[in-house]
Amino acid sequence: MKKNDETSRNLIGLDQQHFIHPTSSMQQQQQHGPAHIFVRGKGVYLYDHDGKAYLDGMSSLWNVNVGHGRRELGEVAKKQMDTLAFSSCFATFSNKPAIELAAKLARVSPPSLRATFFTSGGSEANDTAFKLARHYWKVKDQPKKRKIIARMKSYHGVAMGATSATGLKPFRDFAPSLAPDFLHVDHMSIEALRALIDREGPETIAAFVCEPIQGAGGVHVAPDSYLCDIRSICDEYELLFIADEVITGFGRTGAYFGCDHANISPDMMCIAKGITSGYAPLGGVMLSKSLHEQLTAHSHGTLLHGYTYSGHPTSCAVALKNIQIIEEENLIDHAATMGEKLLLGFRTIQEQYSEIHDARGRGLMAALAFSHNGKNEPLAPKVVQAADQRGLILRAVTFDQQDVLVCAPPLIINEEELNQLLSILESSVQAVVS
């Protein structure tokens, strides 16, 4: 950003004084101002206040699946706002977009899932799932089943329950007095999970929550067999299986949902991000037909849980159009094809540098893991900075002594743009490690 530009200086000053940024360094903001002020997006690119283009290698926050600047989504939002911008869904009030979206989700999701509770985003979706799991066992006369097991290296959001479930310790250390009854287990060990259940007692455990691919924790891809084993263990011990598909849903992995790769159906599935490609805030929890029916049969009185914007008509209308785009443009198969090329490119870069010990991913989610012995300064943040200077946005994960660079471009990325991404990444790695 041009510091001598008066408009830029004014925006920087206002940002420093008045805008508290999420998941950012407050001191860095005060010292240097915002890293970028973006004013426009088109396709896989973002453009800053000075007109410089950046290839959005993270789909912003893993969520702009259909790319930036989709006029048809803005047009749908305007049409819905002109008709009915908002109305409450409390007290069984409803609206057409929410009804149609819930029905559409039931058609495209894993086969057991039928009904959706809408939220404003992923953190609320996971919090809702945890509350519904505990409520379910309460109305089933098993109130002791309230513990939630989550995996280490997992990320489930920043609401109180979602933070407590998150398996990345710095997030839990951010504020004291976490919610009780959350447990964490090795992120890939079936044996460790079974031992934890036996130790705690299955009669005390409500649910197990799992990302099919851990995103913010470093793109750790669970084998299909792991997910199948989880499904079996949950059935064996009578636990609810919650799939956190906030990042992995709506084509990101090269399938509609991450669970589809293993051909399993969870009892609950949390969704957000790609459901609207970030064009409107929306999330939700899908419940299986069995769970929905049993909750309905055993619950009495009012379901005392809900958000002001649950079933927001404008957000739901945007989601319907977004899903239509994903389907009509065949973006799920495209993500699978381009994902193979992305992973191949990452592995080619890995082969050139001894500092990289792993290249992994699935669909349009990929990561490079740098060797990190706990003493040297992590390399991934330096590569991310070098890439930023060259016009590519990526992210670094350094939690739990990891040193990982992660990448998740929009599902619309074409081969030329993917080659540009890989070229910038390779030059950035070379600049840092050479």
Side-chain angles (χ1 to χ4, degrees):
M1 184 178 301
K2 298 174 182 177
K3 302 293 184 180
N4 59 352
D5 181 271
E6 184 176 355
T7 303
S8 294
R9 289 201 307 271
N10 288 340
L11 287 171
I12 292 169
L14 291 171
D15 184 284
Q16 291 170 306
Q17 293 178 57
H18 303 297
F19 186 7
I20 301 174
H21 289 251
T23 315
S24 302
S25 167
M26 297 180 73
Q27 292 181 344
Q28 183 176 346
Q29 179 200 4
Q30 288 302 306
Q31 293 171 3
H32 305 291
H36 301 291
I37 299 178
F38 292 117
V39 297
R40 185 169 66 91
K42 185 66 176 176
V44 300
Y45 296 98
L46 290 168
Y47 298 84
D48 71 9
H49 189 67
D50 295 319
K52 182 177 177 179
Y54 292 82
L55 201 164
D56 186 1
M58 283 306 305
S59 300
S60 287
L61 280 175
W62 318 82
N63 62 334
V64 187
N65 287 13
V66 301
H68 298 279
R70 302 298 297 241
R71 185 178 298 274
E72 57 265 58
L73 292 178
E75 290 170 349
V76 163
K78 180 183 185 303
K79 181 179 179 181
Q80 184 60 47
M81 286 181 179
D82 288 343
T83 305
L84 177 68
F86 173 74
S87 64
S88 167
C89 291
F90 284 28
T92 75
F93 289 14
S94 198
N95 65 77
K96 186 170 180 282
I99 295 169
E100 292 180 343
L101 178 59
K104 176 65 175 179
L105 290 170
R107 291 194 295 272
V108 302
S109 299
S112 70
L113 299 172
R114 184 177 77 171
T116 300
F117 183 102
F118 288 111
T119 69
S120 302
S123 292
E124 287 183 358
N126 279 306
D127 260 31
T128 297
F130 304 147
K131 289 181 72 174
L132 288 178
R134 288 165 171 168
H135 177 68
Y136 169 78
W137 291 115
K138 178 184 174 183
V139 300
K140 293 277 286 182
D141 294 325
Q142 298 187 62
K144 292 182 179 180
K145 287 177 74 72
R146 54 179 183 263
K147 295 175 184 175
I148 308 292
I149 299 178
R151 301 159 70 203
M152 296 174 185
K153 294 185 171 65
S154 63
Y155 178 81
H156 299 293
V158 293
M160 185 59 77
T163 296
S164 302
T166 290
L168 300 169
K169 191 172 182 294
F171 284 92
R172 302 198 305 275
D173 291 343
F174 174 74
S177 300
L178 292 173
D181 294 322
F182 285 88
L183 308 171
H184 296 90
V185 69
D186 183 275
H187 69 307
M188 292 293 184
S189 173
I190 292 296
E191 293 75 16
L193 174 61
R194 189 178 289 277
L196 178 61
I197 295 171
D198 288 337
R199 183 169 65 250
E200 296 290 329
E203 70 280 2
T204 71
I205 299 171
F208 175 81
V209 60
C210 172
E211 301 163 276
I213 298 176
Q214 294 180 317
V219 186
H220 298 280
V221 184
D224 294 343
S225 59
Y226 174 86
L227 296 175
C228 293
D229 288 343
I230 290 298
R231 177 69 274 181
S232 296
I233 286 175
C234 287
D235 292 338
E236 176 185 348
Y237 286 99
E238 292 190 297
L239 317 180
L240 297 178
F241 180 13
I242 304 170
D244 181 349
E245 297 257 15
V246 169
I247 286 177
T248 52
F250 303 97
R252 173 59 57 190
T253 69
Y256 230 119
F257 296 96
C259 285
D260 292 339
H261 293 287
N263 196 30
I264 61 166
S265 290
D267 300 299
M268 286 191 268
M269 184 171 77
C270 298
I271 52 177
K273 292 190 184 292
I275 192 172
T276 65
S277 289
Y279 282 71
L282 187 66
V285 183
M286 297 195 69
L287 275 62
S288 70
K289 181 176 184 291
S290 173
L291 186 59
H292 184 217
E293 289 176 346
Q294 292 187 60
L295 273 173
T296 301
H298 292 278
S299 296
H300 301 285
T302 302
L303 180 69
L304 293 175
H305 180 71
Y307 302 101
T308 298
Y309 298 121
S310 292
H312 193 290
T314 301
S315 294
C316 290
V318 171
L320 282 164
K321 185 63 177 180
N322 176 71
I323 292 171
Q324 180 184 340
I325 291 170
I326 289 172
E327 292 181 344
E328 289 183 348
E329 297 185 6
N330 200 26
L331 293 183
I332 297 174
D333 288 344
H334 182 72
T337 300
M338 298 306 292
E340 292 177 359
K341 297 179 185 296
L342 177 65
L343 184 56
L344 177 61
F346 270 45
R347 286 174 173 164
T348 300
I349 293 173
Q350 177 196 1
E351 291 170 358
Q352 299 178 55
Y353 299 97
S354 60
E355 291 85 355
I356 303 173
H357 71 82
D358 190 24
R360 55 181 181 258
R362 188 171 217 170
L364 286 172
M365 296 177 68
L368 287 178
F370 294 86
S371 301
H372 182 50
N373 59 16
K375 298 179 181 179
N376 298 327
E377 188 175 355
L379 293 175
K382 296 180 179 180
V383 176
V384 168
Q385 184 178 15
D388 185 270
Q389 294 169 353
R390 291 163 170 79
L392 171 63
I393 298 170
L394 300 167
R395 286 182 68 183
V397 174
T398 56
F399 306 116
D400 297 336
Q401 293 194 333
Q402 296 185 91
D403 189 1
V404 179
L405 177 147
V406 298
C407 176
L411 307 191
I412 62 167
I413 192 168
N414 61 37
E415 192 160 0
E416 180 181 354
E417 292 160 344
L418 183 61
N419 288 337
Q420 180 190 6
L421 185 158
L422 293 169
S423 176
I424 294 175
L425 175 58
E426 183 175 358
S427 68
S428 301
V429 172
Q430 184 180 31
V432 169
V433 303
S434 61

